[in-house]
Amino acid sequence: KDHTVLYPLMLGIQHNMNTLLTGPTGCGKSSVVEYVCSVIRQPFFRLNGRQDMESDTILGKVWVAGGEMKYILGDFSKARRDGCMILWDEVWKVPSGIQMALQRMYEREGVLQLDDMPGTLEEKQIKPDPRGRLILADNVVGVGDGLDKYAATLIQDASTLNRMEMVLTCDYLKPDDEIGMLEAIHEHLPKTQARKMVQLAGLIRTGFSKGELSSTMSPRQLNTWAKLALAVGEYKTAFNYVMKGRLATTEEQASLLQLWNTVYKV
């Protein structure tokens, strides 16, 4: 429902622009792309980045089978060739050197050049299907994470970041929408409890963003809390199951208790 993100995202898809979605964990960066694909009936391919990812996985590799040398396309290359909507999730977890190999493809009307593929220059180049689109997603914009919240994030070359045509910032749902989400998923959850749960999640997120807490509370944990609370019949016990163990120090756990007391008027 956040049209400040959805509207420009649809514009980027319409005009085939490389779009980077950033935002906190669990805020729906991946879900919104998958949702759009389901609406417009676009083939969807999700690729998750990681630090140990090699170029073979993305681009392809030379392989010998039956005494014959072949070049096997990587999953990313096949998805670009076949016109998929590619969501490259956690994209800045991928080493910057691999990203450099993709710079020509990131350019407007760019091609994917597979230098290790046997053949002529033309045979080495994959021209993306014009129906395909590329959307990237990560928690930060690719220049590091000053608070070390996302320790696996790698700093990217400025020339790579310059090829991102749009950068859109996602955030968690507005409180009323998040309350509605909880009620829709958990039909026996009282509205008064849903409201308190969302209020407490908001306070925890604020503490995380300020560096006061080492863990946040995403919609994933919020939904788990609601599910456990309905199962055990006790909201605080379920909350502690989900959140208490995530915090590194007793001081943080004391802060968490204080936030609980603020919301539940203890």
Side-chain angles (χ1 to χ4, degrees), residues 107-150:
E107 295 172 355
R108 172 67 59 178
E109 307 299 335
V111 299
L112 182 58
Q113 186 162 317
L114 307 175
D115 293 323
D116 295 332
M117 177 185 282
T120 65
L121 179 60
E122 184 176 356
E123 291 170 336
K124 293 174 184 283
Q125 294 178 346
I126 292 180
K127 294 182 179 179
D129 187 304
R131 298 169 297 179
R133 296 293 184 269
L134 177 62
I135 297 176
L136 303 93
D138 210 316
N139 303 114
V140 292
V141 296
V143 292
D145 173 25
L147 294 177
D148 294 328
K149 299 174 190 172
Y150 308 106

Side-chain angles (χ1 to χ4, degrees), residues 2-16:
D2 187 355
H3 294 291
T4 61
V5 173
L6 187 58
Y7 177 70
L9 175 62
M10 293 303 297
L11 278 178
I13 291 172
Q14 180 182 359
H15 296 285
N16 197 11

